[in-house]
Amino acid sequence: MVTLLVSCIEARSKLGKNLRGKNTHKRSLFTSGNANAVMTLNSFEKGGDGGGPSECDGKYHSNNNLLVALSSRWYNHGQRCFDYIDIYYKDASARAMVVDECSGCGDDIVDASRAVWEALGVSKSDWGEADITWSDA
């Protein structure tokens, strides 16, 4: 019995060491499953239509990277900064990193870089808004 107790304590200690400095918070709103959303086109580059630098790190980012800004309720005060989400459009999917908050957007917006639209194979004539689902990666 003592051996089992010591093993549990050691395992917990190792787990704690492995998780230090990592994003281990509980997700708000949902942790599994897909959320319905509208994907919009955003520029994360300086001078682009995305406005100022990203909320997560105060920097601009290349539109060649798979990046998103989430509606405020999903962004959750930065709780998803630098986390990845999986985006599903028709029969395609892409994994993108959260770098910004889409403040002033509706409650169901995933504001995505050009690279996300390209990765999902959305026809350029359809760029602007698209119905998608997404989940935490």
Side-chain angles (χ1 to χ4, degrees), residues 34-137:
N34 295 345
N36 294 322
V38 175
M39 185 171 69
T40 55
L41 181 61
N42 185 45
S43 173
F44 294 89
E45 296 179 350
K46 188 171 186 172
D49 62 0
S54 77
E55 289 293 321
C56 291
D57 62 4
K59 297 179 181 179
Y60 293 97
H61 298 272
S62 171
N63 291 321
N64 294 322
N65 296 324
L66 297 164
L67 306 171
V68 295
L70 296 178
S71 292
S72 295
R73 72 182 180 119
W74 288 330
Y75 179 75
N76 195 22
H77 308 286
Q79 293 297 302
R80 283 198 168 90
C81 277
F82 308 115
D83 286 350
Y84 287 87
I85 65 168
D86 290 324
I87 302 168
Y88 308 95
Y89 172 78
K90 296 186 178 180
D91 293 331
S93 66
R95 182 164 286 177
M97 183 171 55
V98 177
V99 296
D100 205 358
E101 176 181 20
C102 190
S103 57
C105 295
D107 284 339
D108 64 346
I109 300 296
V110 174
D111 212 10
S113 66
R114 179 185 69 236
V116 173
W117 289 80
E118 291 170 347
L120 291 171
V122 181
S123 170
K124 283 194 178 185
S125 63
D126 293 331
W127 284 21
E129 287 190 3
D131 291 328
I132 61 157
T133 59
W134 72 274
S135 65
D136 289 308

